[in-house]
Amino acid sequence: MGKGGSGKEQYVTVTSEVAPVNTSAAVWPSEELAYGAVRKIQDKLHCWAVENPDRCFDDLYNWVHDPSVLTIAWKRVAGNKGSRTAGIDRATVSAIASQHGVQEFLHQVRATLKARTFTPVPVRQVMIPKASGKLRSLGIPTVTDRVVQAALKLVLEPVFEADFQSCSYGFRPNRRAQDAIAEIHHFTSKSYEWVLEADIEACFDNIDHTALMDRLRRRIGDKHVLTLVKSFLKAGVLTTVGSVEGTITGTPQGGILSPLLANIALSTLDDDFITAWDQQMATEGQRQRRKRLGQANFRLVRYADDFVVLVTGRREHAEQLRAHVATVLVPMGLRLSPEKTSVVHIDEGFDFLGFTIRRMVKRGSRKRFVYTRPSAKAVASIKDRVRTATYRATLHHDPGYLMGYLGRVLRGWANYFRHGVSKAVFNAVDSYAWERIANWLRKKHRIGWPELRRRFCLPGTWRLAHDGERFRGAATVTVTRYRYRGYRIPTPWTPSTVPAR
């Protein structure tokens, strides 16, 4: 296919089921050598981007099909839990590795990229339920498309990480949800009492392609890379009813490249707020002056398409910022979700990334502190998983398997929330799990409480155990304080001599 072209007859150009063996290609690097080579490429790109914020990169395509880049891209696709999920070609990672061989498959992918005949195929639509009862559409690309997307991300991410602002935390290297929660805790503890809690409606589905490509062109001048990115945006969707629909807007959720593209699109919001902060509120003197003039100070904290704006001042200031946010998002084809966007006071509390964040009076004193703890929705979710695992339909499982499985689930859940005020919640969840497991054991073995204690508890206690192995739930995870890392968190490619972003 020529650059930028499309057509149904070309959808099978590089699907895994028809990839021939390229026997004339050179031997590919080992994973260790490939990792070192890719790291050097990324270090160079990031340093060049940091040193010259106006630089437009014109020659990146050769790196996209570099053997080392494709090797690491394959490793990331194969190491993902979605590797067992197939796209429209019904080929999984394991099927490709066993039927064609990894190197032969990557040789063919590279050959089509070099010849510029690569054409993404439509993603396979999968509908998954949301907590609200609605359905979310996921797009599952083929393994071939995932590898190329991963290669693109390896090359593009170091460039755009040089530009991304410190207020963005979602789907970025070296950043996590706990950093966003820590920043919210930091500002709400310092008189930022009003909170604009916002959510972008169907963000991944509505991003305007033209506006997104315009933001890409600010940094990327390589027309072949731009054509490849655009071809993924326009690849289409094979719906659950078997029809192919075009994609006029949006980036399908489920693609490896989609989170990066969404961050590039939403960086327009980050840039707007950080520019205002740097110019008007960067120093304590500036912030105090605005307070004396009756003006608000505000700070954006964003995780993917969920974000909050923390405001000092009055409720009207937060409402004005709500209108301003809506205006900033319009050029990207996005709008706020009316149901999920509201202005609240920190004393009322709000939910963000699974945590409830609220200022309350400390027990035994008159001082008020901001507390972060697992939200009611998060607790209900983990209880649902425990309930599902202990239905009557699961009575055929071995007790050791059930306790081991639920223990891993509860500890994994607790690890995410261990930096909040969570100990009492962990104990309550474990108490619920104990009741469900105990009743499950009684039904399975048709025994009473004395027999249950004798057979499935540690001697002299009611602590559940199997074959001497104690059940370890959420409460066994140590609750620790998460240290706020400030505005500037280093990227994986930040040299020690360059200030971290």
Side-chain angles (χ1 to χ4, degrees), residues 99-167:
Q99 295 175 16
H100 304 289
V102 175
Q103 288 192 7
E104 287 78 6
F105 170 74
L106 292 179
H107 276 308
Q108 176 60 18
V109 173
R110 182 170 187 257
T112 54
L113 285 172
K114 287 185 69 176
R116 301 186 187 118
T117 58
F118 175 82
T119 305
V121 300
V123 297
R124 180 170 64 87
Q125 185 184 54
V126 176
M127 307 301 292
I128 61 173
K130 298 171 66 174
S132 61
K134 299 180 181 178
L135 294 176
R136 173 186 284 119
S137 174
L138 289 184
I140 310 299
T142 63
V143 174
T144 303
D145 289 356
R146 278 178 252 175
V147 170
V148 178
Q149 285 190 31
L152 270 171
K153 184 181 179 185
L154 287 170
V155 174
L156 295 178
E157 189 172 51
V159 174
F160 285 96
E161 274 294 324
D163 300 333
F164 286 159
Q165 303 293 351
S166 59
C167 60

Side-chain angles (χ1 to χ4, degrees), residues 298-366:
F298 48 87
R299 180 78 180 182
L300 172 73
V301 180
R302 182 176 67 83
Y303 190 95
D305 57 339
D306 294 324
F307 63 90
V308 295
V309 181
L310 312 172
V311 185
T312 61
R314 302 185 302 275
R315 184 186 185 96
E316 304 88 78
H317 292 137
E319 294 289 356
Q320 291 169 6
L321 285 169
R322 176 176 183 167
H324 176 71
V325 168
T327 303
V328 173
L329 292 176
V330 166
M332 295 305 305
L334 303 173
R335 66 190 186 99
L336 295 176
S337 170
E339 299 83 10
K340 298 182 180 180
T341 302
S342 60
V343 174
V344 298
H345 195 273
I346 188 61
D347 290 343
E348 302 171 40
F350 64 97
D351 290 353
F352 190 67
L353 302 180
F355 286 88
T356 293
I357 305 171
R358 185 180 179 185
R359 187 171 64 184
M360 296 183 291
V361 177
K362 184 179 180 181
R363 185 184 303 172
S365 74
R366 295 183 179 180

Side-chain angles (χ1 to χ4, degrees), residues 24-38:
S24 62
V27 176
W28 282 48
S30 65
E31 287 186 1
E32 283 189 19
L33 292 176
Y35 177 82
V38 170

Side-chain angles (χ1 to χ4, degrees), residues 455-472:
R455 292 176 57 181
F456 295 103
C457 294
L458 293 176
T461 72
W462 283 97
R463 294 173 181 170
L464 291 173
H466 184 261
D467 292 337
E469 186 80 17
R470 179 187 170 184
F471 172 71
R472 297 171 61 245

Side-chain angles (χ1 to χ4, degrees), residues 394-433:
T394 66
L395 290 176
H396 62 282
H397 286 311
D398 180 75
Y401 167 82
L402 179 72
M403 292 188 196
Y405 168 75
L406 282 180
R408 291 190 297 273
V409 168
L410 292 173
R411 292 193 302 274
W413 178 84
N415 269 320
Y416 177 80
F417 291 104
R418 67 192 175 99
H419 299 299
V421 185
S422 307
K423 194 63 179 178
V425 177
F426 290 174
N427 287 331
V429 169
D430 274 4
S431 177
Y432 178 80

Side-chain angles (χ1 to χ4, degrees), residues 89-343:
D89 61 357
R90 301 181 181 179
T92 62
V93 166
S94 60
I96 291 172
S98 60
Q99 295 175 16
H100 304 289
V102 175
Q103 288 192 7
E104 287 78 6
F105 170 74
L106 292 179
H107 276 308
Q108 176 60 18
V109 173
R110 182 170 187 257
T112 54
L113 285 172
K114 287 185 69 176
R116 301 186 187 118
T117 58
F118 175 82
T119 305
V121 300
V123 297
R124 180 170 64 87
Q125 185 184 54
V126 176
M127 307 301 292
I128 61 173
K130 298 171 66 174
S132 61
K134 299 180 181 178
L135 294 176
R136 173 186 284 119
S137 174
L138 289 184
I140 310 299
T142 63
V143 174
T144 303
D145 289 356
R146 278 178 252 175
V147 170
V148 178
Q149 285 190 31
L152 270 171
K153 184 181 179 185
L154 287 170
V155 174
L156 295 178
E157 189 172 51
V159 174
F160 285 96
E161 274 294 324
D163 300 333
F164 286 159
Q165 303 293 351
S166 59
C167 60
S168 167
Y169 294 97
F171 303 109
R172 294 184 58 190
N174 281 4
R175 289 169 176 255
R176 55 188 73 92
Q178 284 75 13
D179 288 317
I181 298 299
E183 181 158 340
I184 292 172
H185 186 276
H186 173 77
F187 279 95
T188 52
S189 299
K190 296 181 180 295
S191 76
Y192 287 73
E193 298 180 339
W194 289 101
V195 180
L196 170 61
E197 182 189 6
D199 179 82
I200 300 173
E201 186 172 16
C203 175
F204 283 83
D205 298 331
N206 292 327
I207 293 174
D208 184 83
H209 289 173
T210 302
L212 174 59
M213 294 303 297
D214 285 344
R215 292 195 70 83
L216 273 166
R217 290 189 186 98
R218 294 183 181 183
R219 275 297 203 173
I220 309 300
D222 191 320
K223 61 182 180 180
H224 303 304
V225 171
L226 293 172
T227 298
L228 189 57
V229 172
K230 188 173 182 179
S231 67
F232 278 114
L233 293 175
K234 301 294 186 182
V237 178
L238 180 66
T239 66
T240 53
V241 297
S243 61
V244 176
E245 295 181 354
T247 46
I248 303 173
T249 61
T251 62
Q253 292 191 60
I256 293 175
L257 195 60
S258 294
L260 175 61
L261 295 179
N263 271 332
I264 293 172
L266 292 173
S267 63
T268 183
L269 181 65
D270 305 338
D271 293 344
D272 181 87
F273 273 82
I274 292 300
T275 299
W277 176 271
D278 290 341
Q279 293 178 354
Q280 305 171 32
M281 296 166 274
T283 67
E284 182 64 26
Q286 288 176 314
R287 294 192 289 271
Q288 291 300 327
R289 183 175 181 274
R290 288 177 63 87
K291 281 187 178 181
R292 289 194 299 270
L293 295 174
Q295 298 175 335
N297 297 313
F298 48 87
R299 180 78 180 182
L300 172 73
V301 180
R302 182 176 67 83
Y303 190 95
D305 57 339
D306 294 324
F307 63 90
V308 295
V309 181
L310 312 172
V311 185
T312 61
R314 302 185 302 275
R315 184 186 185 96
E316 304 88 78
H317 292 137
E319 294 289 356
Q320 291 169 6
L321 285 169
R322 176 176 183 167
H324 176 71
V325 168
T327 303
V328 173
L329 292 176
V330 166
M332 295 305 305
L334 303 173
R335 66 190 186 99
L336 295 176
S337 170
E339 299 83 10
K340 298 182 180 180
T341 302
S342 60
V343 174

